[in-house]
Amino acid sequence: MAQRQSSVMSSGDDRPFHHTKIPADHSALIQSRETGVVVPDEDSRPRAKGLPFAKSWVHLMAGGIAGMTAATVTAPLDVLKTRLQSDIYQAQLRAARASQPHALAAMNPARAAMYHLSETLQILGSVYRTEGWRALFKGLGPNLVGVIPARSINFFVYGNGKRFISERWNNGEEAPWVFMTAGMCAGVATSTATNPIWMVKTRLQLDKNVSERSGGAMHRRYRNSIDCVRQILRDEGPRGLYKGMSASYLGVAESTLQWVLYEQFKAALARRERRIVESGRERTWWDNTVSWTGNFGSAGTAKLIAAVLAYPHEVARTRLRQVPVINGQPKYTGLVQCFRLVWKEEGLMGLYGGLTPHLMRTVPSAALMFAMYEGILRLFGPVE
């Protein structure tokens, strides 16, 4: 194969090497002027993109800011999702649907989807009318307390884990298995550290609904987050704060899949951008649109696919965190038992209860969060 040589030395450079480019794969080699031996140039190999270790804290800060913003904007849909996942609301929905079973059965998939969207918006409006606008942000305090460290930990472990794994075990090159391993590490670390916070958030969101449904006959069980933690430790012990952990670990598959898909979409966008530059053609309005919104759309699409595939674990996690409901004992005692009981009592729809508001919240939330994360990394000057 013909080789094109280009010297990289100035006249005063005494380094006995010059670079050789191989057009087929654009890899760089170094050829000794004395021996003629051609060897790979270690400095020219593709390396994992990331921040130097001294700047690794930027992942932590970027993840926290992005998560806080996204959580605040989508808080009402998070409240609605949690309620629809609980068996309390599912019982209400079953009773309402029982009055018109034939009408629902006759719907085609498109009309059924529109019906569920309309039903979701009606419930959201009902919460606003009966409980006030504050109810739409119920649990936002503990949610932010959970979101900020959760997103900080997740982005920190993933961003630095990806760089560490690729440099240690893949010659500095990124690959799908590197993304998957880093995503799993980030998911496990995040779930373990923040499960007690999500436990408190779920209990507080469901607590007021129980009181409302009883017409005031049942008083709210928890006064605030601190009181909720105190009662859980008193009645259920320290393990009570980690209920739903098995479902959270199952959810690591979702976050890992999301990271892998996101990285693949980003790589596809980068290849598209290179083709435009290499072709020398004039950029169209569509090219500019993709350049500005590519990461935003990639994050949203990755989250949509991952969330739909892994959604049942969200329902199981919410059910496992509910307060005891049968003779003072938990109705759901374990992950497998929870899946079996929900399937038996409610069928497939029960495992996907609250999916519509979940997607309405998580897809734009993920898109906003990842776009902010990438923007902050660029602001602080990541290096190749």
Side-chain angles (χ1 to χ4, degrees):
M1 179 183 295
Q3 297 181 344
R4 179 172 56 86
Q5 298 181 343
S6 59
S7 175
V8 298
M9 299 188 300
S10 64
S11 58
D13 190 353
D14 59 355
R15 199 175 73 170
F17 295 96
H18 67 273
H19 281 285
T20 300
K21 296 286 186 179
I22 300 179
D25 59 2
H26 304 286
S27 58
L29 304 174
I30 297 179
Q31 184 178 41
S32 170
R33 294 184 186 275
E34 300 172 357
T35 66
V37 176
V38 178
V39 296
D41 183 354
E42 294 293 330
D43 293 334
S44 69
R45 290 182 179 179
R47 294 292 172 181
K49 297 179 180 179
L51 296 175
F53 185 75
K55 288 187 178 180
S56 62
W57 59 269
V58 176
H59 289 287
L60 195 75
M61 181 193 67
I65 295 175
M68 177 180 65
T69 304
T72 302
V73 172
T74 60
L77 290 171
D78 183 56
V79 172
L80 182 59
K81 178 210 71 172
T82 302
R83 294 189 178 189
L84 287 174
Q85 286 175 349
S86 71
D87 61 357
I88 297 170
Y89 261 78
Q90 286 301 311
Q92 290 179 315
L93 292 177
R94 287 196 301 272
R97 291 168 181 169
S99 61
Q100 46 180 342
H102 299 296
L104 292 176
M107 290 183 180
N108 58 43
R111 289 192 62 191
M114 291 303 298
Y115 172 81
H116 287 300
L117 177 60
S118 174
E119 185 179 58
T120 298
L121 295 176
Q122 287 176 5
I123 295 173
L124 191 62
S126 175
V127 171
Y128 173 76
R129 289 191 303 272
T130 60
E131 303 178 38
W133 67 270
R134 292 179 181 274
L136 297 177
F137 292 88
K138 187 67 178 177
L140 178 59
N143 192 28
L144 289 178
V145 171
V147 162
I148 294 174
R151 298 310 177 194
S152 297
I153 293 170
N154 192 270
F155 282 103
F156 177 82
V157 175
Y158 179 81
N160 291 286
K162 179 177 67 172
R163 177 174 55 82
F164 178 82
I165 293 168
S166 62
E167 289 178 354
R168 279 297 186 93
W169 294 296
N170 204 37
N171 297 320
E173 299 180 9
E174 294 183 346
W177 73 266
V178 173
F179 304 144
M180 183 175 67
T181 305
M184 290 176 61
C185 293
V188 170
T190 303
S191 296
T192 303
T194 61
N195 195 82
I197 301 173
W198 302 126
M199 175 69 173
V200 172
K201 188 206 79 166
T202 301
R203 291 282 180 94
L204 289 176
Q205 285 184 333
L206 296 177
D207 190 29
K208 186 170 183 178
N209 180 53
V210 172
S211 177
E212 293 290 339
R213 288 182 65 246
S214 67
M218 296 178 62
H219 298 290
R220 292 182 59 186
R221 180 168 181 171
Y222 308 113
R223 292 192 300 272
N224 49 46
S225 300
I226 297 176
D227 182 57
C228 182
V229 172
R230 182 182 60 80
Q231 290 194 45
I232 291 174
L233 290 175
R234 182 193 66 196
D235 300 335
E236 304 168 49
R239 294 183 62 181
L241 292 173
Y242 286 89
K243 285 184 177 179
M245 178 65 81
S246 56
S248 293
Y249 284 151
L250 185 61
V252 170
E254 177 185 345
S255 62
T256 301
L257 177 60
Q258 180 185 353
W259 273 116
V260 173
L261 290 173
Y262 176 63
E263 294 284 4
Q264 297 304 309
F265 292 153
K266 278 206 309 179
L269 289 171
R271 290 193 297 269
R272 184 182 189 278
E273 192 68 21
R274 282 198 300 271
R275 286 195 299 269
I276 294 174
V277 173
E278 291 170 0
S279 68
R281 67 176 176 82
E282 186 176 349
R283 299 180 67 88
T284 65
W285 68 271
W286 178 248
D287 294 331
N288 292 326
T289 300
V290 172
S291 295
W292 280 99
T293 64
N295 284 343
F296 186 87
S298 296
T301 303
K303 183 62 179 180
L304 175 64
I305 296 172
V308 171
L309 292 177
Y311 184 74
H313 92 274
E314 291 267 358
V315 175
R317 185 170 58 189
T318 297
R319 301 291 179 93
L320 289 169
R321 289 172 179 169
Q322 288 180 186
V323 294
V325 293
I326 299 180
N327 298 322
Q329 298 298 319
K331 180 178 180 180
Y332 306 103
T333 57
L335 183 61
V336 176
Q337 183 265 355
C338 180
F339 278 129
R340 286 178 176 173
L341 190 56
V342 172
W343 179 270
K344 178 181 177 181
E345 295 182 347
E346 306 167 37
L348 181 63
M349 293 303 297
L351 292 174
Y352 280 87
L355 176 62
T356 300
H358 178 69
L359 294 179
M360 289 171 62
R361 180 186 69 88
T362 57
V363 172
S365 175
L368 174 62
M369 182 166 55
F370 276 71
M372 289 188 64
Y373 169 73
E374 297 282 1
I376 294 173
L377 289 188
R378 292 194 191 98
L379 182 64
F380 279 82
V383 297
E384 301 293 326

